[in-house]
Amino acid sequence: MPHFRLTSHEADAPTSQADRQLYSTRPPAWKSGMECVERPATPATDSGVLAMVVAVIVLIGLNMRHVKRIFRSLPHDLLSVRRRGNAFDEHTANETRVALLQLLQLWVYEGLLLFMWLRDTSRGILSTTHPTSQVAILVALACGLYLFQLGACVTVGYVFADQQSAALWRRGLNASQIILGWALTVPALVSLFYPGLAQDMLLLAAALYILSRICYIYKGFRIFYHKLPSLLYFILYLCTLEIIPVIITCLLAVEICVKN
């Protein structure tokens, strides 16, 4: 059997540039790979954000018996200005707690929707490195907006209406917010898990918010309207307590989250 030598002579070395590249010891480009890029954090993959959503759903589910009873009174509280008492005017301590849970649901979903609005790539103003802290800030901001609206409702009712009319208007505010919280469930969850539909869901959420405020304002108009001069106060109310607070809330959301 013939023996083949494994050594090579210097005369066998490649002479041209093409030959040198062919026999180069550098691995080919397809073996070198690509530089890894960190996967961007999103609310749907963040455990903290998911914990907020799951906690709200679980708490509401555990109190569903009281939720059903509150739902029976919501249509009356939302639109009725009847002064005569009814069976649903008085709420137990459990129902008050469940009403607060439903308001918490509203704040969480509003915070999520604000986050999805701010993280839009066309704006480029929000980093998604820590979505949990940013969503928590926006939830707190949504809570602050509600507290401002509640304080404004109580103040206006105390100044311009009697005690019973003020109570009717306050129940209208709470009813509109609770119903809005349930209505925002679909837009918030769809935009969370299907970011491609976020723009459509944000438009839907904005429409639902406007509709809920129209119902609340309509009830207030029926309570406070008294001849034509009262329209001036009504217009001032719309500008001061309905439009400007929402604009300020959006601006605060931008400023706070950019700094965080």
Side-chain angles (χ1 to χ4, degrees):
M1 182 176 180
H3 177 69
F4 295 95
R5 296 181 60 185
L6 299 180
T7 59
S8 59
H9 191 268
E10 61 181 2
D12 298 327
T15 57
S16 65
Q17 183 66 23
D19 290 338
R20 293 192 184 96
Q21 292 179 354
L22 180 64
Y23 291 98
S24 173
T25 57
R26 178 181 298 177
W30 63 270
K31 287 186 177 181
S32 61
M34 299 176 62
E35 184 180 358
C36 62
V37 178
E38 184 179 0
R39 182 180 180 181
T42 64
T45 59
D46 187 83
S47 58
V49 174
L50 293 178
M52 292 185 212
V53 175
V54 171
V56 167
I57 295 174
V58 170
L59 289 173
I60 294 293
L62 292 176
N63 293 274
M64 189 56 67
R65 179 168 60 89
H66 298 294
V67 170
K68 291 179 180 179
R69 189 179 191 281
I70 291 178
F71 256 94
R72 290 198 297 267
S73 66
L74 287 179
H76 175 272
D77 290 341
L78 180 61
L79 297 175
S80 177
V81 294
R82 188 181 64 173
R83 292 174 174 271
R84 183 163 51 90
N86 63 84
F88 304 114
D89 282 346
E90 298 296 330
H91 298 293
T92 65
N94 286 334
E95 290 171 348
T96 301
R97 184 190 71 245
V98 174
L100 289 174
L101 286 177
Q102 293 177 89
L103 289 173
L104 175 63
Q105 173 181 247
L106 168 70
W107 304 331
V108 169
Y109 292 152
E110 284 182 338
L112 276 174
L113 289 167
L114 274 174
F115 183 88
M116 300 305 294
W117 173 67
L118 291 173
R119 75 184 292 270
D120 189 341
T121 54
S122 64
R123 295 176 177 84
I125 59 177
L126 185 65
S127 171
T128 57
T129 306
H130 305 290
T132 302
S133 61
Q134 293 168 339
V135 171
I137 291 172
L138 295 174
V139 170
L141 193 60
C143 176
L145 176 62
Y146 166 78
L147 293 177
F148 172 82
Q149 292 171 339
L150 180 61
C153 175
V154 172
T155 303
V156 173
Y158 177 79
V159 174
F160 294 99
D162 58 87
Q163 184 176 1
Q164 192 172 6
S165 297
L168 285 172
W169 201 35
R170 185 173 63 252
R171 285 200 295 269
L173 172 64
N174 290 329
S176 67
Q177 296 297 282
I178 289 174
I179 294 174
L180 178 62
W182 285 100
L184 291 182
T185 301
V186 172
L189 295 182
V190 170
S191 62
L192 176 64
F193 294 106
Y194 299 94
L197 299 175
Q199 285 295 322
D200 296 332
M201 294 299 103
L202 289 172
L203 292 176
L204 176 59
L208 291 172
Y209 178 84
I210 293 173
L211 180 61
S212 71
R213 300 310 295 180
I214 289 175
C215 293
Y216 170 64
I217 293 170
Y218 170 71
K219 182 172 183 177
F221 183 81
R222 294 176 64 191
I223 292 174
F224 294 103
Y225 176 75
H226 181 66
K227 297 183 179 180
L228 194 61
S230 62
L231 288 177
L232 174 61
Y233 296 102
F234 188 73
I235 294 172
L236 293 175
Y237 155 76
L238 289 178
C239 296
T240 306
L241 300 180
E242 291 294 339
I243 299 175
I244 295 178
V246 175
I247 296 176
I248 292 176
T249 299
C250 293
L251 294 177
L252 283 176
V254 173
E255 291 297 326
I256 293 173
C257 289
V258 166
K259 293 180 181 179
N260 289 273

